[in-house]
Amino acid sequence: MELVLEQITRNNKVLQFYKLSGDIIRIGRAYDNDLILRDEHICPYHAQLSINETGEVIITDLDSLNGISNKSNQAINSSTAIAVGEHFILGKLRFRIADPMQLLAKTTKLNFLEQFSSRANQWYCALAFIITVFAMNILGAFLSASGTIVWTNLISESTLEVIALAVIALLIALGARIFKHEIKLFSIIVLSFAFALSLMAFRVLGDFLMFNWGQNQLLSIGNEVIRNGLLFVFIWGCFFLVSNMNFKRITMSAAVLILSFFGLTQLQKFGDDSVVLVPQYSVKILPSTLLIRNATSVKQHLENNTQLFSETNAEAQRRNQEAKDSN
């Protein structure tokens, strides 16, 4: 008997091939089996494959603890015929019998993302991103500090942020373990810290725009679009690194998560009747060289503030009157 066993995922992606031959093929964790499986849910001598008189492949349970299941996770009899292309489960591992003579699928060239993730899966790449985020956190805190600078506090706060990002990367790697995907820990760290750097750059750009134009509706919309876009890219990259889904499913899953997140944030804002006055101004004081538009004169600034105070007072009186009328 000669056959090929494919270890597959739930969505039928092939993880490994095993070419086996012999009258009886024993499967288990013991080292004298024909197929050795390193899974704690597999017994030392779990099952065996053989051929009956009619040429059918028979799988036999060798009194294993977790038994043998079909593709629907239903237990099958101790000796059952398995046809070519049929699935069976040993422990938590899923297999499919393949025809040794079947035509293989066309070889697929590694795409750019696969090549990039493999090259980024190096300890020095991860370390470079960690150091960069750590340094940028300290620099940002230093530039935005308005009082006495306590370096121990800056360093400890930056260290905590780096640790938090590292924990997120480990949780993502745990997802790869759950999906039984190759764990590219250093690539996951690079993705997580690159996302943090992108948010920092976006925050700097936002400070620059607010310094010149203040807070307005257009900037608010742009902020939501870019922030959710960065989050979409990050989630997409997480799915790519930890799952076996194709690009279409990854994109759909990431889009559903982003839309759900956006919907929840909007739902939280719904019904909030707090007064929002525009324009608003950035509280950060930046160098005048970063001002690319004409500065507002003191007179115009006072007139704008007077108008804002008048609108605030009118809104407060309206709400007070509504409260009295309701009582």
Side-chain angles (χ1 to χ4, degrees), residues 12-36:
N12 296 328
K13 182 175 181 178
V14 179
L15 298 177
Q16 295 187 67
F17 289 95
Y18 300 101
K19 187 174 182 180
L20 305 168
S21 61
D23 296 332
I24 296 178
I25 299 171
R26 294 186 301 173
I27 305 173
R29 280 191 296 121
Y31 291 114
D32 57 346
N33 285 292
D34 299 293
L35 175 57
I36 303 171

Side-chain angles (χ1 to χ4, degrees), residues 186-207:
F186 296 129
S187 294
I188 294 172
I189 292 175
V190 168
L191 173 66
S192 302
F193 282 80
F195 175 64
L197 286 174
S198 300
L199 290 180
M200 291 179 190
F202 172 58
R203 193 178 302 120
V204 170
L205 176 62
D207 291 339

Side-chain angles (χ1 to χ4, degrees), residues 92-320:
K92 295 173 66 175
L93 304 181
R94 186 180 296 260
F95 296 91
R96 177 174 59 197
I97 294 183
D99 184 354
M101 303 305 294
Q102 70 178 352
L103 296 177
L104 296 178
K106 185 179 179 181
T107 303
T108 303
K109 182 178 176 58
L110 289 172
N111 58 49
F112 167 76
L113 290 175
E114 290 167 333
Q115 292 179 353
F116 179 79
S117 64
S118 297
R119 291 173 181 173
N121 193 36
Q122 306 291 338
W123 67 268
Y124 48 83
C125 292
L127 182 61
F129 273 87
I130 291 173
I131 294 174
T132 303
V133 170
F134 180 78
M136 293 301 294
N137 274 333
I138 293 180
L139 178 62
F142 171 76
L143 294 177
S144 61
S146 57
T148 303
I149 298 175
V150 182
W151 286 103
T152 55
N153 291 342
L154 294 184
I155 294 174
S156 62
E157 290 174 2
S158 184
T159 301
L160 288 176
E161 292 185 20
V162 168
I163 292 174
L165 285 171
V167 170
I168 292 175
L170 290 176
L171 291 176
I172 297 171
L174 180 62
R177 174 77 175 180
I178 294 174
F179 281 103
K180 297 187 181 300
H181 193 273
E182 179 188 1
I183 301 177
K184 295 181 178 180
L185 179 59
F186 296 129
S187 294
I188 294 172
I189 292 175
V190 168
L191 173 66
S192 302
F193 282 80
F195 175 64
L197 286 174
S198 300
L199 290 180
M200 291 179 190
F202 172 58
R203 193 178 302 120
V204 170
L205 176 62
D207 291 339
F208 170 77
L209 295 176
M210 287 182 64
F211 179 67
N212 282 274
W213 287 278
Q215 181 67 49
N216 56 55
Q217 194 66 26
L218 182 60
L219 286 180
S220 297
I221 295 174
N223 173 68
E224 290 290 336
V225 171
I226 296 177
R227 185 178 62 180
N228 286 287
L230 291 174
L231 186 58
F232 173 83
V233 172
F234 174 68
I235 294 175
W236 197 99
C238 291
F239 277 121
F240 174 76
L241 289 174
V242 307
S243 73
N244 298 301
M245 295 188 293
N246 55 36
F247 286 178
K248 182 178 180 180
R249 288 188 177 183
I250 290 176
T251 303
M252 291 179 60
S253 300
V256 168
L257 287 177
I258 288 297
L259 291 175
S260 300
F261 173 78
F262 179 76
L264 289 175
T265 55
Q266 295 304 311
L267 185 63
Q268 184 180 7
K269 297 178 182 178
F270 183 77
D272 184 5
D273 59 350
S274 59
V275 178
V276 179
L277 300 176
V278 292
Q280 298 176 357
Y281 299 93
S282 173
V283 298
K284 288 191 175 181
I285 301 175
L286 299 179
S288 59
T289 53
L290 296 180
L291 189 65
I292 61 176
R293 57 170 299 186
N294 294 329
T296 303
S297 65
V298 174
K299 180 181 178 181
Q300 183 63 42
H301 183 70
L302 292 175
E303 290 177 355
N304 292 340
N305 285 342
T306 301
Q307 181 181 358
L308 290 176
F309 285 130
S310 298
E311 293 175 359
T312 303
N313 184 52
E315 179 65 18
Q317 292 179 359
R318 183 187 68 79
R319 294 193 179 194
N320 290 336

Side-chain angles (χ1 to χ4, degrees), residues 22-92:
D23 296 332
I24 296 178
I25 299 171
R26 294 186 301 173
I27 305 173
R29 280 191 296 121
Y31 291 114
D32 57 346
N33 285 292
D34 299 293
L35 175 57
I36 303 171
L37 300 176
R38 307 307 303 164
D39 185 284
E40 60 184 1
H41 302 94
I42 302 293
C43 290
Y45 302 98
H46 197 104
Q48 71 178 28
L49 298 172
S50 58
I51 296 288
N52 64 9
E53 295 81 3
T54 60
E56 295 177 311
V57 178
I58 303 297
I59 186 167
T60 303
D61 185 9
L62 301 179
D63 295 327
S64 62
L65 179 62
N66 294 305
I68 306 172
S69 305
N70 59 19
K71 64 184 302 182
S72 302
N73 280 316
Q74 296 175 341
I76 63 178
N77 298 329
S78 59
S79 293
T80 303
I82 302 292
V84 172
E86 195 169 346
H87 298 196
F88 63 91
I89 301 173
L90 303 178
K92 295 173 66 175

